[in-house]
Amino acid sequence: MAEFESSTLAIPATGAVPRHIAIIMDGNGRWARSRFLPRVAGHRKGLEAVRETVRACGERGVKHLTLFAFSSENWRRPAEEVSFLMQLFLRSLEQEVGRLNDNSIRFRVIGDLSAFDPAIVEHVARAEALTAKNDRLVLTVAANYGGRWDILQAANRCAREHPGEEVTEELLSRYLCLRDAPEPDLFIRTGGEERISNFLIWQLAYTELYFTEVPWPDFGAKQLDEAIASYQQRERRFGRTSEQLAASRLQPDVA
Ligand code: IPE
Ligand code: IPE
Ligand code: MG
């Protein structure tokens, strides 16, 4: 497990390339409708964008990529769309995991898998086991994930395992789904909406947010580079002043 790091308790290490990028892959349905295609055609095309984005992140030295594939609220969609998404997930698990492994990418899923078909749960477990030792890039797919669910499941486990103990940030964060990853440096949402939609609400405390109109099926290496370029223009202050940052660049020890 990585050392405990919290952007609200200490100032995290930052660099030109984000260590962790989290993406809400949105706009598949509208991409398809604008082409007079069924919404699900957008999801199918979105899988190609996932492939390209994973590859581009690996090439750029990003260590963690977390993708929001299905939210705890997406069950409210029409049954046929939910079922298509589940099949697409299963098929891509079958087809893509070998390639991820060949590229030294660790794959894992976060979210409440208990609601999923047992075939999916089994494929996820197999894919996670196969790629567990890979360390070039950790690809985390959030499926049936909700930020509030994550905090609640952590709080409940924490209360069970530490009855009567005061809960601290450090203790609680040991039970969160992304406990072994640094907090995201860069958050990207495609498709034009500017909201978090119950994604990583705890972990995004000091993340740089980037929104683009580009729908997810049209996202790729070029758009990723634009997002990273925007990130590189930001001054991450973590509560401090610009003057303090300038001083700490001259004297790194006082950071
Ligand atoms: C994101 O695209 C994919 C999922 C939520 C599964 P959408 O399906 O939300 O596409 P829009 O937002 O309706 O265009
Ligand atoms: C967020 O997108 C979830 C995923 C991309 C998986 P939605 O399309 O479900 O979000 P809202 O409903 O527009 O907020
Ligand atoms: Mg959407």
Side-chain angles (χ1 to χ4, degrees), residues 59-80:
E59 287 167 0
R60 283 152 186 73
V62 173
K63 299 308 285 181
H64 297 264
L65 173 64
T66 303
L67 301 176
F68 205 6
F70 192 85
S71 77
S72 42
E73 289 73 47
N74 286 146
W75 296 109
R76 297 171 182 160
R77 294 194 176 193
E80 318 84 75

Side-chain angles (χ1 to χ4, degrees), residues 135-150:
D135 61 1
R136 179 148 167 252
L137 167 71
V138 181
L139 169 63
T140 303
V141 171
N144 195 20
Y145 178 87
R148 290 187 179 178
W149 166 83
D150 192 3

Side-chain angles (χ1 to χ4, degrees), residues 26-27 30 77:
D26 197 22
R30 281 164 287 158
R77 294 194 176 193

Side-chain angles (χ1 to χ4, degrees), residues 26-47:
D26 197 22
N28 294 353
R30 281 164 287 158
W31 178 92
R33 299 314 281 175
S34 72
R35 286 163 176 75
F36 306 102
L37 296 168
R39 289 178 53 84
V40 295
H43 298 317
R44 204 179 294 122
K45 187 81 166 69
L47 183 59

Side-chain angles (χ1 to χ4, degrees), residues 210-230:
Y210 178 85
F211 298 96
T212 171
E213 292 291 330
V214 173
W216 178 250
D218 288 336
F219 193 88
K222 176 174 169 279
Q223 290 74 18
L224 179 75
D225 286 337
E226 286 166 5
I228 294 176
S230 164

Side-chain angles (χ1 to χ4, degrees), residues 118-186:
I120 293 186
V121 178
E122 194 191 310
H123 271 85
V124 166
R126 236 188 283 158
E128 288 182 341
L130 177 72
T131 63
K133 296 212 163 57
N134 296 342
D135 61 1
R136 179 148 167 252
L137 167 71
V138 181
L139 169 63
T140 303
V141 171
N144 195 20
Y145 178 87
R148 290 187 179 178
W149 166 83
D150 192 3
I151 294 169
L152 287 173
Q153 66 79 28
N156 283 317
R157 279 177 58 201
C158 200
R160 269 198 304 278
E161 293 180 25
H162 300 270
E165 228 175 279
E166 190 181 342
V167 179
T168 61
E169 246 194 58
E170 174 161 17
L171 185 61
L172 189 75
S173 60
R174 274 192 241 156
Y175 293 91
L176 292 167
C177 289
L178 287 181
R179 56 189 160 271
D180 53 1
E183 292 173 22
D185 300 298
L186 172 62

